[in-house]
Amino acid sequence: MSIVCGKCAHVRGENENVPDWQCPACGVAYNKVKKIQEAASPQVTQQPAKSSVSKPVVEVDENVETKSVIIGQQYMLYGVLLPFVVAFLFALLPTGFLSPVLFLYGLGIFAIFITVLPIVGIVKILSATGRSTFSKVLHVVGFIIPLVNLFILFSANTKANTYLKHHGYDVGALGPRENFLNAPKFYGILFICLFGASYVKTNKATNPVDVAKSINAQIKAPVAIGDELRFDGVSSIRDTVNQRDLLLYKYVLLAYDEPNLSYEMGQIFSDDMIKQIVCPIQNLHKNLTGTKEKYGLRANLYNKDQALIKQLDFELVECRAYRK
């Protein structure tokens, strides 16, 4: 085989007068040129290709039992989340939007609903996963007990996730990942709604007209307070002098007919006594804060002929001392 010099590219012939290690044309040693070329050229080391081991694909087993587990898990989670959502959204309703009787009926029905819904979900999960009747009864009884119900919910949710994962579902903390309850957008929207509702409720001043309607609906004026005093209700008026709204409390002195008894009435009904009469009624308004409300209070005492005997203006914060 002919040797080609790496320096001058001379092809060595068969009958050359120089040693075999030397180029006849330029006299350089073949090995020396070869070492120089190897040092100058980068060495490429071939690494063995990594063998990609694919995870075994588990086929989703969608049947009656898995669907029942998914539905039961959703019932259970809805029962936990709904009270928080409704509580914050209810804070946005104006005062007096619902009558006290209607509110109590609605609250009772909703309390039953959010209690039964998770129980139905837990039973569906345990039935689909093949749990015994004793286990179902134990879970239902435990759910009714405060604090214990948290462990019951965690246990049922864990059983559901384990069952679904075994049947090929890709599950998250709250069930299958395709469920919208596992979507980050859902929690983002939920957080914004709850935070917004709480912020609006705690930072807005209540309309005094709504407050007056709410108090009148609860008191059902006119109503007698003892033998000498009658409460004729509360209304919203505008104080043109101080440029602000007032809640006007109207009282009628039943035992006095003459309008010229203002001095005597002022002695009998002192300012503190009037506040003691007005504030318990004002405190029926659940949003009394004394800081965010933008209206004041006025109490007018009349005789039976509707002649004004005494008038007292005071601030809403003063009713804090009379709260039970």
Side-chain angles (χ1 to χ4, degrees):
M1 182 178 179
S2 299
I3 301 175
V4 180
C5 178
K7 181 179 180 181
C8 65
H10 174 75
V11 180
R12 184 182 182 88
E14 295 182 358
N15 299 318
E16 298 288 352
N17 296 324
V18 294
D20 295 340
W21 51 268
Q22 187 178 21
C23 174
C26 64
V28 71
Y30 293 129
N31 292 337
K32 184 177 180 180
V33 174
K34 185 177 180 181
K35 290 180 179 180
I36 294 174
Q37 291 177 343
E38 289 179 352
S41 62
Q43 296 182 357
V44 180
T45 58
Q46 295 182 353
Q47 296 180 353
K50 295 181 180 180
S51 60
S52 58
V53 180
S54 59
K55 295 181 180 180
V57 179
V58 180
E59 185 178 355
V60 176
D61 185 10
E62 187 174 355
N63 51 41
V64 177
E65 286 76 16
T66 55
K67 290 182 179 179
S68 181
V69 170
I70 294 174
I71 294 174
Q73 196 173 28
Q74 290 177 350
Y75 284 177
M76 185 176 64
L77 296 175
Y78 291 156
V80 174
L81 295 176
L82 278 178
F84 296 98
V85 176
V86 172
F88 281 99
L89 294 181
F90 186 81
L92 294 177
L93 295 177
T95 305
F97 181 79
L98 296 175
S99 65
V101 176
L102 184 60
F103 172 75
L104 291 177
Y105 274 116
L107 183 63
I109 294 173
F110 182 72
I112 295 174
F113 175 75
I114 62 174
T115 302
V116 173
L117 190 63
I119 291 177
V120 174
I122 292 173
V123 172
K124 288 179 73 69
I125 292 173
L126 298 179
S127 299
T129 54
R131 305 293 172 171
S132 63
T133 304
F134 176 76
S135 178
K136 298 175 189 176
V137 174
L138 189 64
H139 277 73
V140 171
V141 173
F143 180 77
I144 302 174
I145 303 174
L147 297 181
V148 178
N149 52 11
L150 298 178
F151 294 97
I152 296 299
L153 290 171
F154 178 78
S155 173
N157 188 61
T158 303
K159 289 180 174 62
N161 282 342
T162 303
Y163 184 84
L164 293 174
K165 187 176 182 180
H166 179 73
H167 285 76
Y169 284 87
D170 185 16
V171 298
L174 303 178
R177 293 193 183 277
E178 61 269 18
N179 189 342
F180 79 97
L181 289 176
N182 280 308
K185 291 182 179 179
F186 168 76
Y187 290 100
I189 295 173
L190 180 63
F191 174 78
I192 292 173
C193 291
L194 298 184
F195 178 79
S198 176
Y199 179 82
V200 169
K201 186 60 182 177
T202 55
N203 288 276
K204 73 174 183 179
T206 308
N207 188 342
V209 176
D210 295 332
V211 178
K213 290 180 180 179
S214 174
I215 294 176
N216 287 330
Q218 297 181 69
I219 296 296
K220 294 181 173 53
V223 59
I225 304 176
D227 297 331
E228 299 181 350
L229 193 64
R230 186 184 73 213
F231 174 57
D232 279 358
V234 58
S235 60
S236 176
I237 62 173
R238 183 69 178 175
D239 183 1
T240 56
V241 177
N242 298 312
Q243 294 298 315
R244 66 169 183 169
D245 293 321
L246 293 173
L247 284 185
L248 174 60
Y249 281 80
K250 299 178 181 179
Y251 294 90
V252 176
L253 301 175
L254 302 176
Y256 302 92
D257 298 330
E258 299 180 10
N260 59 354
L261 295 176
S262 58
Y263 177 77
E264 288 79 359
M265 292 302 98
Q267 296 299 315
I268 297 175
F269 289 93
S270 64
D271 292 354
D272 288 337
M273 183 178 295
I274 293 176
K275 293 176 184 178
Q276 291 179 22
I277 297 172
V278 173
C279 287
I281 299 177
Q282 172 64 34
N283 288 342
L284 294 175
H285 174 49
K286 65 176 183 177
N287 294 325
L288 174 64
T289 61
T291 55
K292 295 185 175 64
E293 305 289 18
K294 304 301 181 182
Y295 56 84
L297 299 176
R298 172 176 290 178
N300 282 355
L301 274 65
Y302 302 89
N303 65 1
K304 290 192 293 185
D305 296 329
Q306 296 299 313
L308 181 62
I309 297 177
K310 184 178 179 66
Q311 179 174 287
L312 175 65
D313 289 354
F314 59 100
E315 298 300 325
L316 189 60
V317 292
E318 298 181 57
C319 282
R320 282 186 168 183
Y322 301 95
R323 299 193 73 177
K324 293 182 180 181

